Amino acid sequence: MDASLTPAPAPVIPFEPDRFRSTVDYYDRFRTPYPPELIAAVARRLGLRYADRMLDLGSGPGPLAIAFARLGLDVTAMDPEPSMLEAVQAGAAAAGVVIRTVEGSSYDLPGALGRFRLVTMGRSFHWMDRPATLAVLDDMVEPDGAVVLMGDRTLHAVPDYRATLDELAERHAGARATERALRRSPDWVPHEAVLLDSPFADVERLARIQPIERTVESVMGLALSRSVTSPAALGEERAAFEDALRTRLAVLAPEGRFVEVSESGALVARRPVS
């Protein structure tokens, strides 16, 4: 890569294995679901085959692991939080699929996991030492395999509750809000730049845009599913945060309805072909 395009060293957020422990009851219920059409598009783009091995790194409760297991992949879900892995197994049983679970994080790679055709990271890559993780994955991903980063963002919301969430997070969970501010600062190196400076420098984006409707309670649940305003991060401030958020949301939407436009995306990264 041209030295003039090489990004500055990517900031690393300190690793906390129990960061999402208190969010398990909220994560799968209130986070934006990955559209099945996006999962299918990733599978087509990569030419995934039955029984291809996949590692879902930082799996959380397993929305990606379960979705790809439904397509017939041999899936391993890895997360540092045991209660998240219990949720993976419960979800897999409900979906009628089998998923291997491994307690650990990107800092435990490669371990004895073997090689994979696909490694996915859903809303988890920013918690890792990203360059170091990609360097390790270079030895774990098969020659024709890929790393796929998946996530979502709200493009538009009516009424727009996002500024309210940010304001109340800073007021009631200041330490976590500081971490969130880092990821929005000019010092934060975007995932795309990190990938371009890695072995997986052939990068493209697949995306689906969908409407999402939320109630006051689902916005509350969404807030509690995030590390910045998780029950553990809020601590003794939780009741005050919930009261303030419910009051502010009622003012924003007296009818209790929020409609947003959400983009779910997949950054598909492969090794460049000479």
Side-chain angles (χ1 to χ4, degrees), residues 26 220 224 234 237-247:
Y26 307 97
M220 298 282 296
L224 295 173
L234 290 166
E237 289 288 309
R238 178 177 175 178
F241 170 81
E242 290 189 9
D243 288 345
L245 180 56
R246 187 171 278 108
T247 299

Side-chain angles (χ1 to χ4, degrees), residues 1 46 57 109 115-121 125 130-149 190-204 267-273:
M1 185 173 182
L46 296 176
L57 182 58
L109 296 177
R115 292 168 69 81
F116 297 89
R117 180 94 190 283
L118 171 64
V119 175
T120 57
M121 288 169 267
F125 192 46
R130 294 174 292 166
T133 299
L134 293 171
V136 175
L137 291 179
D138 189 28
D139 290 328
M140 296 179 65
V141 174
E142 295 175 0
D144 64 342
V147 170
V148 177
L149 311 181
H191 291 344
E192 294 86 346
V194 175
L195 288 167
L196 288 173
D197 197 43
S198 81
F200 303 94
D202 180 354
V203 183
E204 63 180 315
L267 280 176
V268 178
R270 293 176 281 191
R271 300 177 182 88
V273 177

Side-chain angles (χ1 to χ4, degrees), residues 19-56:
R19 181 184 293 273
F20 284 93
R21 178 171 298 167
S22 64
T23 72
V24 176
D25 291 339
Y26 307 97
Y27 199 105
D28 216 24
R29 292 167 57 201
F30 298 111
R31 288 293 183 104
T32 301
Y34 295 108
E37 299 87 352
L38 181 60
I39 302 297
V42 171
R44 285 195 304 270
R45 191 71 182 92
L46 296 176
L48 296 178
R49 302 176 294 266
Y50 179 79
D52 275 346
R53 297 193 73 222
M54 168 187 152
L55 172 65
D56 189 19

